[in-house]
Amino acid sequence: MPVGVVVRKTPGVTKWSEWSWAVSAVLPGAGPAENRILRTEGDCTEYHFSTVNIELHGAETEAYMTGLASKIPSVYVVLREQVGAEIPLEVLLVTASPYEAQDYTDSGEEIVEKVPMPVGLIAWVRDFIENHHVEEAFVKRKRDKKRVDIHQDGIGDPRIEQISDVYRAPSSRKVGFIQ
């Protein structure tokens, strides 16, 4: 489904940043647009920044269910900074999966914006979950009967000869101690 990304440009609050850019909304079913001005109020301007496709995958229905079960169901917009460009951001991805969004935050190179999901998009994701979700029973792994603790491997270096047991208790005799 095509989703339009709305970005708000406001004056920066520090001397190091002239402008602040933030995703303010998404528009499900939007047509193509590149940086089209939607409205201007004083110094604040909202742009229909770009339109990208949001894709849902059958293997990620559990993640979508987690996202819809949150207090405010959200969609995540993944952005990347563009150095030297007039508009310093580009949209990489729009996803309904909080797990996928978290994967993008791990690198620290992308910006992930959480935006409330519109009602139409909630219904679309819910329909997808109802059609494709397969409940998987949790199966606890059972231990095998083989004893692996009998032989201790990797203790010390076998090439170095030990005078005594490496696990022996320290002797009561202290070197250099005069009685």
Side-chain angles (χ1 to χ4, degrees):
M1 172 186 286
V3 175
V5 178
V6 178
V7 175
R8 177 178 288 158
K9 176 185 171 185
T10 56
V13 293
T14 66
K15 64 181 180 181
W16 295 280
S17 177
E18 185 178 354
W19 297 103
S20 174
W21 299 80
V23 178
S24 58
V26 291
L27 306 170
E34 289 296 322
N35 307 324
R36 194 173 88 206
I37 296 175
L38 296 176
R39 70 175 160 196
T40 302
E41 292 179 17
D43 289 340
C44 299
T45 306
E46 282 193 332
Y47 296 91
H48 181 174
F49 198 63
S50 69
T51 301
V52 295
N53 289 325
I54 184 170
E55 295 180 6
L56 301 180
H57 301 281
E60 294 188 19
T61 55
E62 183 181 339
Y64 305 141
M65 287 174 32
T66 301
L68 290 180
S70 65
K71 188 173 183 178
I72 299 174
S74 300
V75 66
Y76 302 88
V77 180
V78 180
L79 305 163
R80 181 172 287 155
E81 289 184 352
Q82 292 182 325
V83 180
E86 180 182 333
I87 296 182
L89 301 172
E90 73 172 311
V91 178
L92 294 180
L93 173 75
V94 176
T95 182
S97 170
Y99 302 162
E100 185 176 15
Q102 182 179 2
D103 289 343
Y104 278 97
T105 61
D106 289 343
S107 72
E109 293 184 18
E110 285 82 21
I111 301 166
V112 179
E113 297 270 346
K114 183 177 179 180
V115 182
M117 193 181 294
V119 176
L121 201 53
I122 291 173
W124 183 64
V125 173
R126 186 172 287 136
D127 287 345
F128 182 84
I129 291 169
E130 288 174 3
N131 291 332
H132 295 91
H133 182 67
V134 176
E135 194 67 39
E136 293 182 22
F138 176 74
V139 179
K140 186 173 181 179
R141 183 180 64 88
K142 301 214 182 229
R143 293 185 180 186
D144 24 345
K145 304 286 183 195
K146 184 177 178 185
R147 296 275 315 258
V148 294
D149 61 336
I150 295 172
H151 175 68
Q152 294 182 350
D153 191 25
I155 297 175
D157 191 343
R159 296 171 292 180
I160 300 173
E161 190 174 323
Q162 297 288 331
I163 299 172
S164 62
D165 184 11
V166 292
Y167 293 113
R168 66 177 165 76
S171 65
S172 60
R173 186 173 56 112
K174 295 186 179 184
V175 177
F177 182 72
I178 302 173
Q179 292 184 358

